[in-house]
Amino acid sequence: MDFLPYNTRVVLLGVTLLGACAGVIGCFAVLRRRALVGDALSHSTLPGVAAAFLLAGGKHFSLMLLGAFVSGLLAIGALALLRRWTRIKEDAGIAIVLSTFFGAGVVLASVIQQSQESGQSGWDAFIFGKSAGIVWDDVQLIAILVAVTLVIVALCYKEFLLITFDPEFAKVQGWPARQLDFALMLLLLVAVVVGLPAVGVLLMAAMLIIPAAAARLWTQRLAAMLFLSAGIGVLAGVVGTFLSDRASVPLGPSIIFVAAFLFAFSLLLAPRRGLIARWIARRRDREALLAHGGELPP
Amino acid sequence: MNSLQTPTAIAESATKHATKVPILDVHDVTVAYQRKPVLWHVDLTLTEPTLLGIIGPNGAGKSTLIKAILGLVPLVSGSVHMFGQPVSQERRRVGYVPQRESVDWDFPVSVLDVVLMGTYGHLGWFRRPGAAEKAWARQCLDMVGLGELESRQIGQLSGGQQQRTFLARALAQQADIYLMDEPFAGVDAATERAIFALLVKLREQGKTVLVVHHDLRTVASYFDRVALLNVRLVAAGPTRQAFTEDNLRKTYGGRLAVLDTLSQAVEAQERTR
């Protein structure tokens, strides 16, 4: 990797970490039908990022991540309150939280822009994602967060599998279902926060959802899906970084573009669940049916 | 099985004959969803190992009764005890077969993975199922006749096979009391016979099985006891005494469509006597 400039290597390490983390946590979110919650969480981090920027009076990486985390926590609380105390449907609740928090974030952002003369202060990296903003110290922090997340998933694999597949059965067995569910939600938030500097609040949800959805097409086992999804996340991150470098487009959209390409590729070519495989299977079934005079052999 | 019981459980069964601690004691249970009562002052006590059918029309609260017993829905009033303890203390002695529609069958797990979930309660935190658990889960799969299909993804099973997968998972729990929500729903006749044979075997092993059941024609031949439910408990007791035309009428009300089925059901019972 020596042929790469130091900065690019740092960025590559960062996107590798975030790709793996988002890939793994995204699987649980997608299987738990929380894809939209992931989107709401990532948009809701904006006011926290902006507030941290205002408080610190400039770009302060770890403080901005902390701000993102706190405002994501508030969003989780707001979602829980809406579910518990109102009869608003879940999708409407998610939309309300997402747009309210994002709106607040944009308001704070315009305050920053007015006070900072121009958009060069660096806080806007968190909206679309920027490779230039990421330095070695940032990657160290990201590495710690990702390591903790992955260790927790490895430890609680069995518990997370159960709570995602059949929460009611988990309760019957005496598992603290609500707490486990909350833990998964927190990990989802950590995965979002970790990805913000590279991918940005607008597109971070895609980084959670697309690799997981693509991985699901290739396998019928959760463990394999976790590894595949992490791999697709890493690949999208690495290739996206190169693309962003060459074509000088923002890092976030570039990574998501590669992820979307990998998803389309999987959707077409995956065995069994891919479109082509399913088309062939349907044709074969039809021919077999016709050949046997309307009665399929057992 | 007995080796898994805690010392207190063994002490309990020793004193059982003296004090007769009920296996299940549902006392004055009321459950409401948004101020509409779903269960109203339900009392139900089982002291002997029993195969109990829970019967009633749609919306009678049959599933809710099972969920109330399991502590899955909040009680407005009343209490549920198993073996003299609150249910939260006896989790490891309870097996559960939920309705088939309660999970996403497209989930990326195999049949064996699902059955292994039955062993999670005994495993406790962080420990993964090992060779012993896998062997036991395979045994449970054999008991329901799905041994060949252990590595299938669960979405590739027929409805009856999915039902049996849930049953095998409950068996893997090694429970003393099983609660099953419509285990016969949408299964073919052969599967129904196989499941019923298994329930009988469980009862013979001294287990208690509560089954939400829909088909009135088979009630008399399947269950030792019945609970006729329509928000209130209309009648409960040995099938011969409680499963009468009069009680069925009280349970199902004046719904003409079912009255025919009712008289057929009672006739069928007369014949088995």
Side-chain angles (χ1 to χ4, degrees):
Chain A
M1 293 288 247
D2 271 350
F3 62 95
L4 290 170
Y6 172 77
N7 260 349
T8 313
R9 270 184 283 160
V10 169
V11 172
L12 276 179
L13 186 58
V15 296
T16 300
L17 289 166
L18 99 86
C21 188
V24 168
I25 297 300
C27 287
F28 290 105
V30 166
L31 291 172
R32 190 87 171 83
R33 315 222 159 155
R34 286 241 177 91
L36 283 175
V37 176
D39 200 22
L41 285 189
S42 69
H43 279 76
S44 329
T45 54
L46 187 59
V49 173
F53 189 92
L54 279 173
L55 281 177
K59 196 182 169 222
H60 186 294
F61 189 79
S62 48
L63 204 62
M64 281 162 97
L65 287 198
L66 183 67
F69 187 79
V70 170
S71 94
L73 269 185
L74 291 176
I76 291 175
L79 283 172
L81 284 178
L82 284 177
R83 193 178 317 136
R84 178 77 180 78
W85 296 108
T86 71
R87 294 173 80 172
I88 294 167
K89 297 276 177 287
E90 176 127 42
D91 57 340
I94 288 170
I96 291 170
V97 170
L98 184 153
S99 43
T100 308
F101 276 75
F102 189 68
V106 171
V107 169
L108 284 176
S110 62
V111 173
I112 294 174
Q113 234 142 23
Q114 279 157 23
S115 64
Q116 297 278 324
E117 299 274 312
S118 69
Q120 292 179 357
S121 44
W123 80 274
D124 52 326
F126 279 73
I127 291 189
F128 279 124
K130 227 181 210 172
S131 53
I134 304 173
V135 297
W136 177 239
D137 283 353
D138 306 347
V139 170
Q140 274 183 312
L141 178 61
I142 290 175
I144 292 168
L145 290 173
V146 171
V148 170
T149 303
L150 294 183
V151 166
I152 291 175
V153 172
L155 267 178
C156 298
Y157 174 77
K158 167 180 114 241
E159 288 76 6
F160 287 160
L161 163 64
L162 186 64
I163 204 75
T164 310
F165 176 66
D166 195 347
E168 212 160 62
F169 188 80
K171 273 186 223 161
V172 170
Q173 276 189 333
W175 297 101
R178 206 174 304 163
Q179 287 84 339
L180 277 169
D181 215 35
F182 184 67
L184 265 181
M185 196 76 126
L186 278 186
L187 293 183
L188 183 64
L189 179 57
V190 170
V192 164
V193 168
V194 158
L196 287 182
V199 182
V201 295
L202 291 177
L203 289 172
M204 189 49 216
M207 205 50 202
L208 293 164
I209 300 160
I210 295 176
R216 179 67 188 90
L217 292 163
W218 293 95
T219 176
Q220 305 275 35
R221 293 288 178 282
L222 179 61
M225 181 178 166
L226 294 179
F227 281 104
L228 266 174
S229 177
I232 293 170
V234 170
L235 191 63
V238 171
V239 177
T241 304
F242 281 116
L243 270 185
S244 150
D245 229 28
R246 288 287 147 81
S248 18
V249 289
L251 184 57
S254 172
I255 291 176
I256 299 305
F257 175 77
V258 176
F261 173 81
L262 292 172
F263 175 75
F265 176 80
S266 310
L267 191 59
L268 272 182
L269 294 179
R272 295 187 118 167
R273 295 174 81 91
L275 289 178
I276 291 174
R278 282 171 60 181
W279 180 73
I280 291 171
R282 245 203 320 275
R283 245 181 69 138
R284 204 181 40 215
D285 284 351
R286 197 177 56 209
E287 272 161 21
L289 188 73
L290 292 174
H292 289 83
E295 266 179 61
L296 267 181
Chain B
M1 187 60 241
N2 282 323
S3 63
L4 289 161
Q5 286 184 352
T6 56
T8 49
I10 291 162
E12 250 174 48
S13 57
T15 56
K16 201 178 266 179
H17 296 289
T19 56
K20 206 73 172 172
V21 177
I23 296 168
L24 176 69
D25 187 16
V26 175
H27 177 66
D28 191 31
V29 161
T30 294
V31 175
Y33 293 138
Q34 273 135 13
R35 285 199 284 171
K36 186 170 171 275
V38 187
L39 289 176
W40 191 251
H41 297 308
V42 172
D43 287 289
L44 186 68
T45 309
L46 299 174
T47 47
E48 304 287 336
T50 309
L51 200 52
L52 173 89
I54 301 171
I55 294 143
N58 288 331
K62 302 185 294 292
S63 296
T64 306
L65 176 59
I66 284 203
K67 288 184 180 175
I69 291 171
L70 291 167
L72 295 176
V73 292
L75 307 183
V76 174
S77 78
S79 62
V80 177
H81 286 83
M82 279 178 190
F83 311 101
Q85 301 286 327
V87 181
S88 55
Q89 305 292 311
E90 296 287 354
R91 292 275 178 213
R92 289 187 181 186
R93 298 175 75 180
V94 186
Y96 179 42
V97 177
Q99 283 189 20
R100 192 150 51 87
E101 297 77 35
S102 65
V103 302
D104 171 15
W105 290 93
D106 197 40
F107 203 90
V109 284
S110 70
V111 173
L112 187 67
D113 290 336
V114 172
V115 178
L116 278 170
M117 289 175 191
T119 67
Y120 286 8
H122 290 288
L123 278 173
W125 283 96
F126 311 129
R127 271 184 61 207
R128 302 274 179 85
E133 284 76 23
K134 279 184 185 153
W136 168 238
R138 288 200 174 99
Q139 236 174 297
C140 295
L141 269 175
D142 283 336
M143 279 188 255
V144 301
L146 287 183
E148 314 277 290
L149 302 179
E150 63 165 67
S151 50
R152 283 258 185 108
Q153 192 268 330
I154 52 171
Q156 292 160 7
L157 301 176
S158 71
Q161 289 166 340
Q162 291 175 343
Q163 199 70 65
R164 282 188 276 164
T165 303
F166 267 175
L167 206 62
R169 181 176 69 170
L171 292 176
Q173 289 183 274
Q174 301 189 295
D176 292 322
I177 175 164
Y178 291 88
L179 294 109
M180 306 188 178
D181 202 345
E182 299 196 28
F184 297 114
V187 305
D188 58 52
T191 306
E192 174 151 351
R193 275 195 300 277
I195 294 178
F196 175 63
L198 203 68
L199 301 188
V200 170
K201 206 154 87 184
L202 285 174
R203 199 248 338 262
E204 278 165 4
Q205 289 168 6
K207 321 275 191 191
T208 290
V209 188
L210 275 67
V211 180
V212 171
H213 194 58
H214 254 309
D215 186 359
L216 291 173
R217 289 166 305 175
T218 49
V219 170
S221 53
Y222 279 6
F223 301 109
D224 315 328
R225 302 175 81 88
V226 288
L228 295 170
L229 193 68
N230 192 348
V231 183
R232 296 161 192 270
L233 189 68
V234 177
T239 309
R240 292 190 173 194
Q241 287 152 36
F243 192 66
T244 62
E245 192 159 352
D246 191 36
N247 281 338
L248 282 169
R249 243 173 242 283
K250 278 188 209 153
T251 312
Y252 285 84
R255 286 170 222 203
L256 290 173
V258 285
L259 285 181
D260 244 13
T261 330
L262 295 190
S263 47
Q264 274 172 27
V266 174
E267 259 171 49
Q269 189 190 1
E270 304 285 313
R271 260 182 272 125
T272 57
R273 271 179 194 174

